[in-house]
Amino acid sequence: KSNLIDIYIKDDKCGNQMKLLFRKSYDIQKVYEDNREAAYEIKKVVVCDNCYNKIDLHLEFDKGYNIMDQEVENGKIISKEEFENSSVE
């Protein structure tokens, strides 16, 4: 089983698409509050490698590392298919 989670995002400003890799053991925080459904979360600011726009990423995961909730400012999460199809000329 992989220790990595792939997240694909698209920058709202220039349309650049990026693949982000998160290590479960390092990049993802465990949620300790009892009043929240999420088991894990990521809070990260991603800087676009094309236009240097800052994208605020907040993802919440269940115990199986499936995304339950997402908040993305200045960008959006896209599917792996969208990412791969866009990079094909």
Side-chain angles (χ1 to χ4, degrees):
K1 196 176 176 188
S2 174
N3 186 38
L4 295 173
I5 292 180
D6 302 354
I7 304 285
Y8 301 89
I9 60 171
K10 181 174 182 175
D11 185 325
D12 279 350
K13 190 171 165 191
C14 72
N16 185 37
Q17 298 186 354
M18 292 166 281
K19 176 180 179 177
L20 310 175
L21 284 176
F22 295 106
R23 287 168 297 206
K24 291 176 185 173
S25 56
Y26 179 77
D27 298 304
I28 298 176
Q29 285 82 47
K30 192 163 173 37
V31 173
Y32 291 105
E33 296 98 313
D34 292 336
N35 60 345
R36 290 174 56 191
E37 281 184 41
Y40 305 99
E41 69 180 345
I42 294 172
K43 284 183 180 166
K44 195 124 181 124
V45 175
V46 180
V47 178
C48 175
D49 50 20
N50 188 41
C51 73
Y52 305 108
N53 184 28
K54 287 194 171 95
I55 301 167
D56 281 309
L57 200 61
H58 181 204
L59 304 176
E60 294 190 343
F61 300 89
D62 64 15
K63 287 186 173 72
Y65 292 99
N66 301 300
I67 295 176
M68 297 169 48
D69 196 32
Q70 57 187 51
E71 286 173 45
V72 187
E73 280 178 43
N74 304 321
K76 69 173 186 177
I77 291 182
I78 58 172
S79 69
K80 184 178 181 180
E81 290 73 32
E82 282 178 85
F83 177 81
E84 288 173 346
N85 291 340
S86 76
S87 54
V88 176
E89 291 303 314

